[in-house]
Amino acid sequence: MELALMNLAADTARRAGDLVVDGRRSGRFRVSTKSSPTDVVTEWDSASENFIVSHIAKHRPDDGFVGEEGTSTAGTSGVSWLIDPIDGTTNFLYDLPGWAVSVAAIDTATGDTLAGVVHVPAQRETFAAARGHGSWLGGRRLHVVSSADRPEPTIGTALVATGFGYDPERRRRQGRRTAWLLPRVRDIRRFGAAAVELCHVAAGRVDAYLEDGLGAWDIAAGVLVATEAGAVASDFSGGPVRPAQVVVAHPAIHTELLDLLHSCPRDEEWPD
Ligand code: IPD
């Protein structure tokens, strides 16, 4: 069942990616804003979401759907889909390559992600995972730990990805946290799409990713891809990972990264 859901998600995400790429090439590009002047949505976010829902519903008419751009339909099958039709919309707006279509199938009874796909059209890469079966980049099985190309990271040699939300006050706190981490790790990366950054952990391209204040659609597929590859996922205190707080890391550094976050000065302790 999980593998069938993964294959359907992969086929759907690739088709949605083609639709968005072709749409952009056509020159049509209506843009509006959402939670803040910097939080944009394009007509292709909505077109991608509508396509994903209708394509999956053709194969699985009884499933539910929740999407970033407003879809919310209850189903009766016990499976619902969490959709980010374009994760990294700012990258898409600026024609930067790091945006993705993220599609995840959720067990509605337990909340577990059963299958997840993150398709990155500009890189021609599709990351896919099925719960209990593993994760893949194209035909290659992903393993965080046994990627022999690099020695195990230590916290001081870890490449850590992060992201920033749209609310200025949240960004200020996130900036302070990043300033705290920066001299204590190898370096920081900000690619601009949570779903892709989670897959970068799975592929060993970064050692960890952390962010707070995300939506469930940003992380559902990517967290499964990362954890099925052997990464450890939690919130900032070591509890279950949740959109409000996401830390996904190589097992060798997960605990130390949590310790670092814990020792970060509280907001009121920073000079203005
Ligand atoms: C955003 C991206 C970004 C992250 C933001 C998200 P969106 O999603 O994932 O990397 O830092 O917090 O909101 O708006 O492009 O779907």
Side-chain angles (χ1 to χ4, degrees):
M1 153 109 155
E2 288 85 357
L3 288 168
L5 292 170
M6 180 185 82
N7 290 335
L8 176 58
D11 176 52
T12 309
R14 284 197 195 99
R15 289 170 188 255
D18 290 347
L19 179 143
V20 172
V21 169
D22 290 348
R24 188 183 181 112
R25 282 202 198 112
S26 76
R28 276 178 48 209
F29 203 70
R30 272 197 313 277
V31 181
S32 46
T33 57
K34 297 194 286 184
S35 64
S36 81
T38 56
D39 183 6
V40 293
V41 58
T42 73
E43 66 182 291
W44 300 110
D45 294 70
S46 310
S48 173
E49 183 160 311
N50 293 340
F51 169 80
I52 292 165
V53 172
S54 63
H55 188 72
I56 293 176
K58 264 188 225 154
H59 297 266
R60 299 185 51 93
D62 300 326
D63 290 357
F65 295 92
V66 174
E68 182 180 16
E69 306 315 334
T71 302
S72 181
T73 319
T76 54
S77 66
V79 172
S80 67
W81 295 82
L82 257 177
I83 301 158
D84 193 339
I86 299 182
D87 185 41
T89 304
T90 305
N91 284 344
F92 181 61
L93 179 70
Y94 281 79
D95 205 12
L96 288 167
W99 58 273
V101 177
S102 176
V103 179
I106 312 293
D107 180 329
T108 44
T110 62
D112 289 340
T113 306
L114 299 171
V117 167
V118 177
H119 175 58
V120 192
Q123 312 275 107
R124 293 191 169 79
E125 289 190 327
T126 306
F127 295 88
R131 189 177 196 82
H133 295 273
S135 56
W136 292 265
L137 167 53
R140 178 164 68 91
R141 183 82 188 259
L142 295 173
H143 296 286
V144 170
V145 173
S146 65
S147 47
D149 16 1
R150 271 207 329 271
E152 266 199 354
T154 60
I155 193 67
T157 59
L159 187 59
V160 179
T162 192
F164 307 106
Y166 293 111
D167 170 58
E169 193 47 41
R170 181 182 296 281
R171 292 171 78 84
R172 197 167 61 85
R173 288 195 304 272
Q174 291 172 323
R176 286 176 167 174
R177 185 192 305 132
T178 306
W180 175 253
L181 293 176
L182 189 53
R184 294 171 171 83
V185 298
R186 180 190 297 273
D187 208 345
I188 296 285
R189 293 289 182 271
R190 193 288 201 249
F191 296 104
V196 181
E197 286 162 299
L198 288 160
C199 293
H200 285 336
V201 178
R205 294 172 180 171
V206 295
D207 299 306
Y209 164 74
L210 63 99
E211 188 169 340
D212 64 289
L214 289 160
W217 40 75
D218 292 312
I219 65 161
V223 165
L224 188 70
V225 171
T227 53
E228 284 293 324
V232 180
S234 73
D235 69 6
F236 289 4
S237 312
V241 64
R242 51 199 170 96
Q245 289 185 352
V246 179
V247 182
V248 173
H250 188 293
I253 59 160
H254 180 260
T255 304
E256 279 177 286
L257 186 53
L258 292 186
D259 291 345
L260 256 189
L261 288 172
H262 188 66
S263 62
C264 179
R266 285 137 66 111
D267 208 37
E268 60 275 15
E269 293 168 37
W270 289 86
D272 276 325

